[in-house]
Amino acid sequence: MDSFIFSAIIAAAGGSGEPPFLLSMLPLVAIFVIFYFLLIRPQQKRMKEHQAKIDSVKKNDKVVTGGGLVGKVTKVDDEYVELDLGSGLKVKAVKSTLGDIVPLGGSKPAND
């Protein structure tokens, strides 16, 4: 059945034995559509969610930086956050390098 349709398209194109340009481009278009829905779109969605999470950082949130430092936010600016890493050690980090916000009271004791 498929070969019948394919041969009819070739015959309509002039019978040169070569498929029409649009028919030969169809696999490339299909591959791009598959890549878009399986790779590109989910990545863009995760990036938007992460950006919204970073924009919602406020004072007293516990955060993890891209370098693995865990600290409590003491000051929030447009570009920077000030983190208290403990024992009065405060560092200034670029807001976009924050990896995650740790939920308060969400961690269990280590020996349970």
Side-chain angles (χ1 to χ4, degrees):
M1 181 74 178
D2 288 332
S3 63
F4 175 72
I5 294 171
F6 185 69
S7 62
I9 292 173
I10 290 174
S16 64
E18 184 176 307
F21 178 73
L22 291 177
L23 190 62
S24 64
M25 292 302 294
L26 189 63
L28 293 174
V29 171
I31 289 171
F32 178 75
V33 169
I34 290 169
F35 269 99
Y36 178 75
F37 282 107
L38 292 180
L39 297 174
I40 298 170
R41 190 169 174 247
Q43 181 64 27
Q44 287 176 343
K45 185 178 177 185
R46 278 192 295 269
M47 285 174 45
K48 284 182 184 178
E49 289 173 355
H50 184 260
Q51 188 63 37
K53 187 186 287 190
I54 297 305
D55 289 339
S56 70
V57 170
K58 58 189 179 299
K59 189 176 178 180
N60 293 328
D61 281 346
K62 195 172 183 181
V63 296
V64 179
T65 65
L69 298 174
V70 179
K72 186 176 179 182
V73 177
T74 58
K75 184 178 176 184
V76 180
D77 198 356
D78 288 337
E79 281 187 56
Y80 302 102
V81 293
E82 188 174 283
L83 302 174
D84 183 11
L85 300 178
S87 302
L89 178 64
K90 293 188 178 187
V91 295
K92 194 176 209 180
V94 177
K95 202 173 184 181
S96 63
T97 63
L98 297 179
D100 198 13
I101 300 173
V102 180
L104 296 175
S107 61
K108 297 187 292 186
N111 295 328
D112 278 351

